[in-house]
Amino acid sequence: DVKVTQSSRYLVKRTGEKVFLECVQDMDHENMFWYRQDPGLGLRLIYFSYDVKMKEKGDIPEGYSVSREKKERFSLILESASTNQTSMYLCASSPNREAEDTQYFGPGTRLTVL
Amino acid sequence: GQSLEQPSEVTAVEGAIVQINCTYQTSGFYGLSWYQQHDGGAPTFLSYNALDGLEETGRFSSFLSRSDSYGYLLLQELQMKDSASYFCAVNSGGYQKVTFGTGTKLQVIP
């Protein structure tokens, strides 16, 4: 079974803090994604990566950065956390295969910024 | 930009059939996927359609009409455990990068 793990299930930080969210997958997938999920807005893509050291902006990259130094690990960084970044953060991975869009999600990190 | 529309809530009776529709407007199209998410859980993949027609997987089926930019998820013999949110997602740019709809919350009642 594909396993995607995230470093924390719940996290509380203060405004202005630098926040690191870590995601690790164990299936040698090429693609990795970071989403945030808010009520009524669905899942919105923040950043994705299709290879080590490669990254592409998603739909809402402002206020975030990412790092992919190893294939299995994709980190989301909030340089200076703000209250509007309080959300559920979901990491996902997928193989780079044609005619297949299956994404495997981690359990999520619920981040609260005070 | 990309946009997907699906109903926000649907209620159905245990044992019945329910259809969740999804219409999309995207600049490109590679395929339409469906995901299920229980409260407090992670989304899990249900189905994928790249070509027009119906795909069946057990009690769940998914349909796509590319000419109408429309698809639906059909759930048969509903069970209480099917109560969850269902998201359609369109891949419009490759790399398995998808845009998700806002989700349909399905409530199954006895």
Side-chain angles (χ1 to χ4, degrees), chain A residues 31 37 96-97 101 103, chain B residues 35 37 42 48 91 96-97:
Chain A
N31 305 319
Q37 184 174 24
N96 198 23
R97 287 199 285 263
D101 273 349
Q103 294 195 10
Chain B
Y35 287 79
Q37 185 180 31
Y48 174 75
N91 180 342
Q96 284 73 39
K97 173 181 172 286

Side-chain angles (χ1 to χ4, degrees), chain A residues 17-21 33-38 41 44-48 55-67 74-90 109 111-113:
Chain A
E17 280 193 78
K18 191 169 186 175
V19 181
F20 292 87
L21 302 182
F33 309 83
W34 274 107
Y35 297 89
R36 64 176 283 177
Q37 184 174 24
D38 301 286
L41 297 178
R44 293 180 292 167
L45 182 65
I46 305 170
Y47 267 97
F48 74 102
K55 59 185 179 184
E56 293 283 341
K57 292 180 180 178
D59 300 315
I60 52 164
E62 296 77 20
Y64 304 94
S65 63
V66 290
S67 172
F74 193 34
S75 302
L76 180 69
I77 303 151
L78 288 67
E79 294 291 341
S80 178
S82 63
T83 55
N84 63 11
Q85 292 178 310
T86 291
S87 186
M88 171 67 84
Y89 289 88
L90 290 161
T109 295
L111 173 67
T112 302
V113 183

Side-chain angles (χ1 to χ4, degrees), chain A residues 24-37:
Chain A
V24 177
Q25 51 97 2
D26 68 356
M27 284 302 292
D28 202 36
H29 287 169
E30 290 82 7
N31 305 319
M32 296 188 75
F33 309 83
W34 274 107
Y35 297 89
R36 64 176 283 177
Q37 184 174 24

Side-chain angles (χ1 to χ4, degrees), chain B residues 26-85:
Chain B
T26 58
S27 53
F29 182 85
Y30 287 77
L32 177 72
S33 303
W34 289 92
Y35 287 79
Q36 177 191 61
Q37 185 180 31
H38 287 99
D39 283 347
T44 57
F45 173 81
L46 289 176
S47 68
Y48 174 75
N49 294 70
L51 303 175
D52 289 353
L54 191 68
E55 295 280 344
E56 297 181 64
T57 309
R59 294 188 297 114
F60 293 2
S61 304
S62 57
F63 172 83
L64 174 65
S65 168
R66 289 175 299 171
S67 60
D68 295 323
S69 298
Y70 164 75
Y72 65 73
L73 180 69
L74 192 73
L75 295 81
Q76 303 182 73
E77 300 172 18
L78 280 172
Q79 301 176 8
M80 299 300 290
K81 67 179 182 180
D82 297 329
S83 292
S85 292

Side-chain angles (χ1 to χ4, degrees), chain B residues 1-15:
Chain B
Q2 331 288 351
S3 71
L4 289 84
E5 286 193 20
Q6 50 181 131
S8 57
E9 292 182 358
V10 172
T11 300
V13 178
E14 190 177 13

Side-chain angles (χ1 to χ4, degrees), chain A residues 92-111:
Chain A
S93 72
S94 74
N96 198 23
R97 287 199 285 263
E98 282 190 26
E100 180 178 335
D101 273 349
T102 310
Q103 294 195 10
Y104 299 87
F105 283 84
T109 295
R110 185 165 293 282
L111 173 67

